């Protein structure tokens, strides 16, 4: 084992340079994560994130309320689509305009759509 000695000022400068390099690597790796395409979620994962059943998710597909991709016969959902659906379904607590109040009322009451069995 070799022991290397150096002045404390040189050691401090070296550790500062290493910290700068590490910060640069973190910044570059963070940018590449932002540029990556949307993650595709399975039906179970999407249903879990939306807190609905797989059957409800199927119904949402049929009603064209959620976009999906079919790969090898399996439905997949983009993470951005799940985020969009959650954002669109969020009731704001401080509605200031009549449009926001109407939107909140529509979300809370289900939009006035008839419920029950289909015939």
């Amino acid at each position: 084992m070799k022991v290397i000695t150096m002045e404390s000022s040189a050691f401090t400068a070296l550790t500062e340079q290493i910290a700068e390099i590490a910060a640069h690597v973190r910044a570059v790796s963070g940018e590449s994560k932002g540029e990556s395409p949307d993650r595709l979620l399975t039906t179970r994962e999407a249903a879990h994130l939306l807190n609905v059943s797989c059957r409800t998710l199927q119904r949402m597909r049929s009603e064209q309320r959620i976009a999906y991709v079919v790969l090898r016969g399996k439905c997949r959902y983009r993470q951005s689509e799940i985020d969009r659906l959650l954002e669109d379904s969020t009731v704001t607590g401080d509605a200031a305009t009549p449009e926001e109040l109407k939107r909140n009322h529509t979300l809370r009451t289900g939009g006035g759509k008839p419920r029950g069995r289909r015939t």
Side-chain angles (χ1 to χ4, degrees):
M1 180 169 97
K2 292 184 179 180
V3 177
I4 301 172
T5 59
M6 62 184 344
E7 293 182 18
S8 64
S9 59
F11 178 76
T12 304
L14 183 63
T15 55
E16 288 174 0
Q17 289 176 346
I18 291 172
E20 288 177 19
I21 292 170
H24 178 71
V25 169
R26 282 189 204 104
V28 169
S29 67
E31 289 174 6
S32 65
K33 287 180 186 174
E35 295 171 359
S36 66
D38 278 340
R39 179 172 169 244
L40 291 176
L41 305 171
T42 64
T43 300
R44 283 187 182 177
E45 290 171 331
H48 178 73
L49 287 174
L50 293 172
N51 198 26
V52 298
S53 68
C54 292
R55 177 64 181 109
T56 299
L57 196 57
Q58 180 183 358
R59 191 175 300 116
M60 292 168 74
R61 284 194 319 259
S62 299
E63 295 170 354
Q64 298 179 352
R65 291 174 47 199
I66 188 167
Y68 62 98
V69 177
V70 178
L71 293 173
R72 294 182 145 191
K74 304 279 185 178
C75 291
R76 298 287 186 253
Y77 305 87
R78 287 188 168 88
Q79 180 68 49
S80 62
E81 181 65 14
I82 302 297
D83 296 339
R84 181 204 59 83
L85 187 65
L86 289 172
E87 184 65 31
D88 290 350
S89 301
T90 301
V91 177
T92 56
D94 55 348
T97 65
E99 290 81 17
E100 290 174 348
L101 288 171
K102 182 179 177 183
R103 180 180 173 277
N104 284 349
H105 176 71
T106 303
L107 287 172
R108 286 186 180 131
T109 59
K113 297 177 188 172
R115 301 245 176 198
R117 288 191 170 212
R118 296 183 199 172
T119 55

